[in-house]
Amino acid sequence: MDLNRVMVSIVTPSYNCSKYIAKTIESVTRQSYQNWEMIIVDDCSIDNSVEVIERIVGDNPKIRLIKLEHNVGSAQSRNAALEVTSGRFIAFLDSDDIWYTDKLEKQVEFMLKRKAPISFTSYELIDENGASKNHIIHSVEKIAQIDYLKNTIIGFSTSMIDIEMVGDNFRMRDIRTRQDASLWITLLGKGFIAQGIDEVLMKYRVHSQSI
């Protein structure tokens, strides 16, 4: 199979992220793997996030900005994006995180080769200015629900789901924090196994507004 024939839908919620979102979008547009769509859902930001996003995106047909009329939180913002995705693979990317340029290429190839329903990668921590904190979170080879309950190791912005295997009816639970943990507990509870790639392919930004 030609890898570039497989569409990846990237889900990015946005709220008051004007300081970081440019680097996040840039990390997507610079991917070596180019068959993707990015759906950014702005949750009524009160800073100039929308202006920054619109300026960066321009007329790029691969990036869609959805502007919500009411603030609903990150879970419902992600769900709004999930309603309009068209790819086989769903990849999550938060508005302050950064992908390595070969992240999608390596992850799509890995998932197709391994027939993995869910995958995740290792990642590094950076500070609010983008400087490395010299700390790596290493993935494990695979994780089932019982393992995840002991170690919530899946970095959300590293994760990818194959909806041909998992189905496309999953949604984020409407809670303020740990929506990702709830999602993995639910999907892994159905018997799916998440497979890890022990290679750093994402930078996770730690700052004062991190949840």
Side-chain angles (χ1 to χ4, degrees), residues 157-175:
S157 288
T158 78
S159 66
M160 190 179 292
I161 298 172
D162 183 348
I163 64 172
E164 283 195 4
M165 301 184 70
V166 173
D168 63 358
N169 60 344
F170 62 87
R171 293 294 183 269
M172 308 301 298
R173 184 180 174 192
D174 192 10
I175 51 180

Side-chain angles (χ1 to χ4, degrees), residues 20 63 95 155 192 203 206 210:
Y20 310 115
I63 304 177
S95 59
F192 296 113
K203 297 179 181 182
V206 179
S210 298

Side-chain angles (χ1 to χ4, degrees), residues 15 46 50 70 92 104 106 120 134 148 164 178 204:
Y15 181 71
I46 56 176
V50 169
H70 306 285
F92 295 98
L104 289 183
K106 289 184 173 180
F120 60 104
N134 297 313
Y148 186 78
E164 283 195 4
R178 308 304 292 174
Y204 174 78

Side-chain angles (χ1 to χ4, degrees), residues 60-103:
N60 189 332
K62 297 168 70 171
I63 304 177
R64 176 177 178 182
L65 173 61
I66 298 174
K67 293 178 281 188
L68 299 181
E69 295 182 359
H70 306 285
N71 180 268
V72 296
S74 58
Q76 292 298 340
S77 295
R78 292 188 180 101
N79 288 342
L82 288 169
E83 290 292 335
V84 298
T85 56
S86 58
R88 169 177 170 177
F89 291 103
I90 303 296
F92 295 98
L93 176 60
D94 286 345
S95 59
D96 51 2
D97 295 333
I98 298 171
W99 283 347
Y100 280 38
T101 56
D102 54 355
K103 191 262 190 190

Side-chain angles (χ1 to χ4, degrees), residues 73-156:
S74 58
Q76 292 298 340
S77 295
R78 292 188 180 101
N79 288 342
L82 288 169
E83 290 292 335
V84 298
T85 56
S86 58
R88 169 177 170 177
F89 291 103
I90 303 296
F92 295 98
L93 176 60
D94 286 345
S95 59
D96 51 2
D97 295 333
I98 298 171
W99 283 347
Y100 280 38
T101 56
D102 54 355
K103 191 262 190 190
L104 289 183
E105 181 179 1
K106 289 184 173 180
Q107 200 163 9
V108 169
E109 182 178 11
F110 174 89
M111 292 185 72
L112 292 174
K113 182 178 180 180
R114 299 288 189 90
K115 295 181 172 59
I118 302 166
S119 72
F120 60 104
T121 82
S122 301
Y123 60 97
E124 68 171 313
L125 305 186
I126 59 175
D127 65 20
E128 61 181 342
N129 297 313
S132 175
K133 295 176 72 68
N134 297 313
H135 187 68
I136 303 296
I137 307 297
H138 287 279
S139 67
V140 294
E141 182 179 358
K142 59 183 179 180
I143 190 164
Q145 188 194 56
I146 191 170
D147 308 308
Y148 186 78
L149 292 172
K150 300 173 185 176
N151 184 6
T152 56
I153 196 172
I154 301 175
F156 203 44

Side-chain angles (χ1 to χ4, degrees), residues 8 23 35 40 49 51 53 64 99 111 120 122 192 200:
V8 179
K23 293 292 186 183
N35 192 4
I40 304 171
S49 293
E51 290 83 357
I53 294 167
R64 176 177 178 182
W99 283 347
M111 292 185 72
F120 60 104
S122 301
F192 296 113
V200 176

